[in-house]
Amino acid sequence: MRINKYIASCGVASRRKAEEIILQGRVKVNGKTVEELSFSVDENNDIVEIDNEQIGLDEKKVYIVLNKPEGYITTVKDQFDRPSVLDLVKDIKERIYPIGRLDYETSGLLILTNDGDLTYTLTHPKHEVDKTYMAIVKGIPTPEQMKDFESGLYIEDYKTAPAKIKIVKKDEEKNYAICQIKIHEGRNRQVRKMCRAINHPVMRLRRVAMGKITLKETEIGKYRYLTDEEIQYLKGLK
């Protein structure tokens, strides 16, 4: 098994992140540092370590949905020492990590797992998993603006893929609208940038679904375990 896939299968990180860890010289196999991405591991006999800590394939797979509050980062830590979503799941003994990201100001659904293969499936662009958001935007989008939004917008150096947007509530007196937005890309702060591109900047943003997975009754700052049916649904997205 290739070293990056082995690391992902151990639940340490996604395949992409595993490649970064390897290239950083943090991986040892049988006591020797490995920096070659094509290196193969004998999972039954080789001893693999990351940062001098042994990893293995026998870790229980964990799948949870967290209702992320605003004001939390989805990385382990950052230079500003802001709280991480991992602080909210400290009672889970397995080493889990988020699938994708939600920015600091955005709340809502975030899936965390130690299943590297599932992370790869859900984050790879070819799988086009819909992500549903509820956005409170300044002003009320016109039909023309919504059509542009759905057709794709030029943002920075790329054009967004087709998306969906509909107004579920509007207040002309207070000059805002609540919109349901669906995208399948996962670029940095994409929903916010798209709304700004049609001149209706986001005031509040919340992710409410990823594919068919929803928060259900999960309170803000709390999490729930995915059901077997939900796990099989996610694994079937290939």
Side-chain angles (χ1 to χ4, degrees), residues 125-167:
K126 73 178 182 181
H127 296 114
E128 299 190 352
V129 180
D130 277 342
K131 303 170 187 69
T132 306
Y133 297 81
M134 299 301 295
I136 302 176
V137 301
K138 186 176 181 179
I140 300 171
T142 66
E144 292 77 14
Q145 289 171 328
M146 294 170 67
K147 183 178 179 181
D148 290 341
F149 188 102
E150 294 190 333
S151 298
L153 300 164
Y154 286 97
I155 297 175
E156 298 167 351
D157 59 347
Y158 68 94
K159 183 179 181 181
T160 61
K164 295 180 181 179
I165 181 172
K166 69 177 181 179
I167 296 174

Side-chain angles (χ1 to χ4, degrees), residues 153 155-156 158 187-198 202:
L153 300 164
I155 297 175
E156 298 167 351
Y158 68 94
R187 297 176 185 264
N188 184 42
R189 299 175 69 86
Q190 183 173 333
V191 172
R192 294 179 183 274
K193 291 176 181 178
M194 291 177 74
C195 290
R196 192 181 307 125
I198 61 170
V202 168

Side-chain angles (χ1 to χ4, degrees), residues 42-58:
D42 181 344
E43 57 265 38
N44 296 316
N45 297 303
D46 289 338
I47 297 174
V48 181
E49 297 172 289
I50 295 178
D51 299 332
N52 298 314
E53 182 179 337
Q54 186 173 342
I55 63 173
L57 292 173
D58 55 354

Side-chain angles (χ1 to χ4, degrees), residues 208-221:
V208 296
M210 190 167 180
K212 295 180 181 179
I213 306 300
T214 64
L215 288 165
K216 295 185 177 179
E217 302 300 320
T218 309
E219 298 178 3
I220 294 176

